Amino acid sequence: MARAHSSLKTILRQNPNFLTQFRSLSTAKDGIDKPTNHQWKITEVAREVSRITRTKPRWEQSLLSDFPNFDFLNPDFFNEYLHTDTNAFLSLRLFQWLLNQNGFVPNSSSCNLLFDALVEANASNAAKWVLANVNFEPHSDSLESFVQCLCENGSIDDAIDVLRKMLGSNFCPSLVTWNSVLSGLLKVGRIDVLFELYGEMMEFGVVADEETVECLIRGFCSRGTPDKGYEILRQVIDNGLVPRNIAFNKLISAYCGNGYFFKVPDFLHMMIAKNLSPDEYTYQEVIHGLCKNRKNREALRVFSNLKERGYAPDIVMYSTMIDGLCKMKWFGEARKLWFEMIQKGFRPNEYTYNALIRGYCTIGDLKEAKRLHEEMCDRGYGRNTVSCNIMIAGFCQHGNIKEAFHMFNEMPKKGIAHDAITYNTLIQGLCAREKLTESTKLLGKLVEFGLQPTASSYISLVKKLCQVGQLDKAKVLWTEMHTRGMEPPDWTRDLIIAGLCQHGYVEEGMKWLDGMLNCLLRPQKRTLEMLIQCLSQANKFDDAFLLFILMSKMGYVPCTHICHYLAHKFGRQNAYQKEIQS
DNA sequence: GTAGGGTTAG
């Protein structure tokens, strides 16, 4: 400000007329004051229009009258305009205005300039509009930048369209463009397309670099086939290509998810050998992977080892570890870490709070859980659906439905949104207390409020309805799950068959079993046993016998009391044994 | 590029 001020003074000293000029400039109708018979020069108009578009908000209304007799349709004008100091968006606006003047046909040079400027300004949608509405052939360089720009903005489908067109006309883009498409695909999780395009890239003879390899490895990991990622990694490393840490970290994470922890040291050694040092993400993946697989003891060991070696865990690692400990009910250890963390100067964040609150809920200390939740809210982490869900689950687990509902009702008042899990948790809590009407009502509300129900929205209800013999309702809900496009877990069919058996509908139970077998689903052992028992009680020994055979063929060993029971009925135990062996 | 809530019962 001070500098602007002093420069204004300088200007005034050097040019006493400045203020009057300035005033006339800003108060003039449009700053244009030329006789109607004036012969306009294109450069002159371009410069003027550039100024006007920059300074006058609604220039469209008066541009024609500002330059009477000037031929705006002359494509050279727009071309000239683009060479003035203006920005891409203003150019686009003028361009659209020109297109609205009948008969304007831009030349290809200005189309290219405009397109490039828009891409440069990262305005992929505007560039896309130009491409779709104007007949011109962008340069291949421009198209490549366009593809990269689309990828960065997440418009991956558009990027692929353009790429396909390029490939269709037998033009192969540069490696940079290929890489940006691959990583764009990775970002939106379209792994299959990623590999498909990589195949085409190979066909065109493009040679991959570290970035390509990174995309492939991450692709294999998120597809659940880290072995292939590992294979590629070993190949390229032998050829001297070393991808960034993230490739190793994702491999570690994927192998931890598989339970193949013994691979982890391999990766760590590879990294160190290639001068990459394992970073915070690396160790996070290890600890998180171990926790996910309930190897919490291992996780804690790694965590402590790191500390002993002088590595300072960050807040994420503390949160992950505390969460893991709470989940394995090592609540004392979790609390110890909590205080250690605070002592090291970390303030718990919403993740850490949630982990410990859930810990208090699991050990049944709801008083302390509530206190911590309040503290968390006071510290500004209050607007948080997850922590409310955890509290609601805690209340439900310990039979305090009233308090659970209170929290549920308070949420919207505090501006905290309910989500499907909030409902699911309550539905489950109500089911546990056999409050099926209320629970069903909540399921209705979940849908009514536009939330997407999930399988768990239904499962606890279906289960309880089966148990109490309201099988028609259970079946209706089960069908509803299907029509809503959710694939209920296989064992929900087991639940229904069990319910049918227990309430005297063996025949129908058999039909459901048939349905399961037709879908190649494996019924549970106890489902078959229950059916056998009910069939026998109804004197349907043929069916019971068939199921007995089926059971053995499925590799289930029928429990002895079923064997004895059937054998006794038939008095032909040896025959069964032979049948099973055949 | 990181961590969180629900999902048979043993």
Side-chain angles (χ1 to χ4, degrees):
Chain A
M1 286 303 275
R3 238 171 52 193
H5 185 66
S6 69
S7 70
L8 187 65
K9 268 199 232 159
T10 323
I11 291 169
L12 286 174
R13 213 178 301 126
Q14 288 167 356
N15 182 3
N17 293 329
F18 176 79
L19 262 187
T20 33
Q21 280 171 7
F22 180 77
R23 250 186 236 118
S24 71
L25 198 68
S26 50
T27 53
K29 291 169 288 308
D30 298 307
I32 317 289
D33 199 10
K34 296 274 182 184
T36 46
N37 59 356
H38 179 79
Q39 285 301 305
W40 299 100
K41 279 194 198 119
I42 285 180
T43 43
E44 185 188 4
V45 179
R47 220 174 30 241
E48 269 305 299
V49 172
S50 168
R51 187 185 60 78
I52 290 172
T53 49
R54 261 181 286 135
T55 52
K56 194 175 162 187
R58 278 190 289 278
W59 48 264
E60 281 99 335
Q61 293 166 358
S62 54
L63 201 56
L64 282 176
S65 56
D66 284 345
F67 303 91
N69 299 331
F70 178 71
D71 180 19
F72 280 107
L73 301 185
N74 181 347
D76 290 341
F77 157 70
F78 185 56
N79 210 41
E80 191 63 38
Y81 172 87
L82 289 170
H83 283 99
T84 63
D85 176 30
T86 180
N87 78 40
F89 295 97
L90 291 175
S91 305
L92 179 67
R93 204 168 133 191
L94 179 65
F95 184 68
Q96 287 172 330
W97 179 83
L98 287 167
L99 289 177
N100 283 331
Q101 315 300 310
N102 274 337
F104 173 70
V105 181
N107 60 27
S108 72
S109 146
S110 40
C111 290
N112 275 311
L113 277 173
L114 176 63
F115 185 75
D116 287 351
L118 288 168
V119 171
E120 174 83 9
N122 206 17
S124 53
N125 280 328
K128 189 180 153 191
W129 182 90
V130 172
L131 205 54
N133 290 280
V134 187
N135 187 20
F136 82 111
E137 282 293 322
H139 301 305
S140 49
D141 283 357
S142 313
L143 277 182
E144 289 205 46
S145 312
F146 180 46
V147 170
Q148 291 164 29
C149 170
L150 285 167
C151 290
E152 264 166 44
N153 295 337
S155 311
I156 196 71
D157 286 313
D158 291 328
I160 289 176
D161 276 351
V162 181
L163 181 74
R164 288 244 171 269
K165 281 189 192 124
M166 292 164 102
L167 298 177
S169 52
N170 229 11
F171 172 81
C172 179
S174 66
L175 182 60
V176 182
T177 304
W178 282 106
N179 281 343
S180 73
V181 176
L182 296 183
S183 73
L185 283 164
L186 190 66
K187 224 179 279 169
V188 295
R190 304 259 293 273
I191 310 297
D192 290 345
V193 189
L194 186 156
F195 287 112
E196 202 180 299
L197 278 180
Y198 174 70
E200 291 181 41
M201 177 176 159
M202 291 291 95
E203 280 170 27
F204 273 91
V206 182
V207 181
D209 67 354
E210 292 93 336
E211 209 182 319
T212 325
V213 169
E214 178 189 312
C215 289
L216 292 177
I217 293 175
R218 288 171 64 187
F220 280 123
C221 289
S222 64
R223 192 204 233 181
T225 50
D227 279 335
K228 295 194 172 164
Y230 188 22
E231 206 182 303
I232 291 194
L233 180 66
R234 277 208 311 230
Q235 280 169 17
V236 299
I237 277 201
D238 288 343
N239 296 329
L241 280 189
V242 183
R244 294 186 302 171
N245 267 12
I246 182 170
F248 290 88
N249 295 349
K250 292 290 167 188
L251 277 169
I252 289 174
S253 161
Y255 275 111
C256 286
N258 273 346
Y260 284 72
F261 301 103
F262 61 87
K263 292 262 189 195
V264 172
D266 272 7
F267 292 119
L268 296 180
H269 292 142
M270 270 170 110
M271 289 175 85
I272 291 163
K274 292 293 164 189
N275 277 333
L276 296 173
S277 30
D279 56 17
E280 56 197 303
Y281 294 110
T282 318
Y283 291 115
Q284 264 166 42
E285 299 290 10
V286 173
I287 289 171
H288 188 225
L290 289 165
C291 285
K292 256 200 307 213
N293 285 278
R294 298 163 155 220
K295 307 234 177 231
N296 309 55
R297 198 184 302 265
E298 278 281 284
L300 188 59
R301 204 176 51 80
V302 174
F303 186 80
S304 310
N305 260 341
L306 278 175
K307 281 191 298 189
E308 276 165 28
R309 284 175 14 215
Y311 187 99
D314 65 355
I315 183 83
V316 176
M317 225 183 263
Y318 269 109
S319 304
T320 310
M321 200 59 249
I322 290 174
D323 191 43
L325 290 169
C326 286
K327 277 182 182 150
M328 76 188 285
K329 300 188 182 165
W330 283 18
F331 189 68
E333 289 291 325
R335 250 183 114 223
K336 238 162 66 188
L337 278 192
W338 169 274
F339 290 117
E340 176 186 306
M341 181 189 83
I342 290 174
Q343 211 212 337
K344 287 196 179 158
F346 291 111
R347 280 168 73 92
N349 64 20
E350 47 189 312
Y351 288 89
T352 341
Y353 270 114
N354 284 338
L356 202 69
I357 289 174
R358 190 144 39 85
Y360 276 117
C361 285
T362 349
I363 61 163
D365 190 345
L366 289 176
K367 210 175 133 199
E368 199 52 27
K370 265 161 78 174
R371 193 198 61 75
L372 210 57
H373 187 233
E374 271 160 31
E375 181 186 303
M376 173 184 182
C377 293
D378 290 343
R379 294 209 174 164
Y381 301 119
R383 299 169 76 85
N384 186 326
T385 305
V386 177
S387 54
C388 293
N389 289 351
I390 293 171
M391 288 301 297
I392 290 175
F395 290 133
C396 286
Q397 268 159 27
H398 297 91
N400 201 339
I401 294 288
K402 218 171 139 187
E403 201 140 10
F405 259 105
H406 178 69
M407 175 142 271
F408 179 81
N409 294 328
E410 287 297 305
M411 284 169 74
K413 291 181 198 162
K414 291 179 186 159
I416 306 167
H418 293 145
D419 66 5
I421 294 175
T422 323
Y423 280 91
N424 294 355
T425 310
L426 261 184
I427 289 173
Q428 203 195 342
L430 287 167
C431 283
R433 314 223 84 199
E434 316 241 313
K435 295 185 188 285
L436 292 181
T437 328
E438 277 179 273
S439 189
T440 315
K441 245 190 246 169
L442 265 184
L443 179 62
K445 273 196 183 167
L446 189 166
V447 178
E448 192 185 310
F449 283 110
L451 294 170
Q452 186 63 44
T454 65
S456 2
S457 321
Y458 290 88
I459 287 173
S460 41
L461 253 173
V462 170
K463 184 181 166 198
K464 209 68 197 178
L465 286 167
C466 286
Q467 277 173 11
V468 301
Q470 300 195 31
L471 290 150
D472 288 334
K473 283 190 187 164
K475 282 184 280 181
V476 168
L477 285 184
W478 190 86
T479 317
E480 199 180 306
M481 273 172 95
H482 262 286
T483 44
R484 286 188 179 278
M486 272 166 271
E487 193 53 49
D490 301 348
W491 50 265
T492 49
R493 300 193 199 225
D494 288 278
L495 287 179
I496 290 180
I497 297 176
L500 287 165
C501 284
Q502 276 160 356
H503 296 89
Y505 307 101
V506 203
E507 284 291 319
E508 212 188 326
M510 284 299 277
K511 277 190 199 145
W512 277 76
L513 178 69
D514 218 39
M516 275 187 98
L517 298 175
N518 279 333
C519 302
L520 300 178
L521 298 176
R522 186 182 169 86
Q524 290 172 351
K525 184 183 171 201
R526 61 173 160 196
T527 305
L528 295 170
E529 284 172 348
M530 194 178 274
L531 278 166
I532 292 175
Q533 197 160 3
C534 292
L535 285 166
S536 310
Q537 275 158 7
N539 284 322
K540 298 190 170 150
F541 290 107
D542 285 352
D543 282 348
F545 179 64
L546 273 176
L547 285 193
F548 184 75
I549 303 298
L550 173 76
M551 238 180 126
S552 317
K553 290 206 164 145
M554 289 179 73
Y556 287 132
V557 180
C559 68
T560 42
H561 94 265
I562 294 267
C563 291
H564 285 301
Y565 188 65
L566 279 178
H568 179 70
K569 278 286 172 192
F570 283 96
R572 285 170 49 197
Q573 189 162 14
N574 291 336
Y576 290 146
Q577 297 299 344
K578 274 180 199 156
E579 192 86 36
I580 295 163
Q581 283 154 9
S582 67

